[in-house]
Amino acid sequence: MIRRFLALTILGLLCIASGANAGGLKVALVDGLDATQGTAVIKLEKGALKLKATLEPVPAPIDTGDEIFTATMYRAYLASSTDAAIEVSLGAVYPTTKGVAVLKAKFKGDLSQLGLDRIVLVAFSKDGLHSHDVLTGTIELPQSE
């Protein structure tokens, strides 16, 4: 019994010491005015993500600064800010009538080596001709020593 307790205690301490990111990286999702509209918890090593955000229910008017279009769908992506060709689609996001959007994605593979450092929620028009980033978040990876 004591050996089991000691083994579990040591295992717990090793888990705590081995990775501060065991719970994942928490990323704030901000709109164009830098107001926080949600969060995402990302585990790139495991290829997992949980996102919760506040978005206008569709159809939603989206002001791009140059024009206003009606969004009929939101999609979420992980992307690299240094290489536009690197992007992982997380799927469609549909907010409830109260404006709450939740997304869970699990790829079961290591995404940490792709250089992904941004999460983006994009609004799309019905015809697909118009799109605009509505929420973005910067993934700040821990510095390796």
Side-chain angles (χ1 to χ4, degrees), residues 1 31 35 40 56 59 68 77 80-81 83 86 94 98 101 134 142 145:
M1 185 72 164
D31 60 15
E56 287 287 323
I68 295 177
Y77 299 91
S80 170
S81 60
D83 188 350
I86 298 175
Y94 292 99
K98 295 182 180 182
V134 289
E145 297 175 21

Side-chain angles (χ1 to χ4, degrees), residues 57-111:
V58 290
I62 303 295
D63 186 0
T64 67
D66 296 332
E67 64 181 340
I68 295 177
F69 71 91
T70 301
T72 58
M73 179 176 49
Y74 298 102
R75 291 195 62 82
Y77 299 91
L78 286 172
S80 170
S81 60
T82 59
D83 188 350
I86 298 175
E87 136 181 314
V88 176
S89 176
L90 301 172
V93 180
Y94 292 99
T96 64
T97 55
K98 295 182 180 182
V100 177
V102 177
L103 174 71
K104 292 181 184 179
K106 183 138 178 125
F107 295 100
K108 298 181 182 178
D110 187 357
L111 300 176

Side-chain angles (χ1 to χ4, degrees), residues 1-124:
M1 185 72 164
I2 292 176
R3 283 185 183 167
R4 187 175 187 189
F5 174 75
L6 287 174
L8 289 174
T9 303
I10 291 170
L11 182 64
L13 290 173
L14 286 174
C15 287
I16 292 170
S18 67
N21 296 327
L25 298 169
K26 190 170 183 180
V27 177
L29 300 172
V30 297
D31 60 15
L33 301 174
D34 280 339
T36 301
Q37 299 295 333
T39 58
V41 177
I42 302 169
K43 298 176 187 176
L44 290 174
E45 295 82 16
K46 293 185 177 187
L49 174 131
K50 292 180 184 177
L51 175 143
K52 185 174 182 181
T54 303
L55 293 168
E56 287 287 323
V58 290
I62 303 295
D63 186 0
T64 67
D66 296 332
E67 64 181 340
I68 295 177
F69 71 91
T70 301
T72 58
M73 179 176 49
Y74 298 102
R75 291 195 62 82
Y77 299 91
L78 286 172
S80 170
S81 60
T82 59
D83 188 350
I86 298 175
E87 136 181 314
V88 176
S89 176
L90 301 172
V93 180
Y94 292 99
T96 64
T97 55
K98 295 182 180 182
V100 177
V102 177
L103 174 71
K104 292 181 184 179
K106 183 138 178 125
F107 295 100
K108 298 181 182 178
D110 187 357
L111 300 176
S112 64
Q113 302 302 312
L114 294 176
L116 302 167
D117 60 358
R118 293 183 62 223
I119 182 167
V120 183
L121 271 78
V122 182
F124 289 94

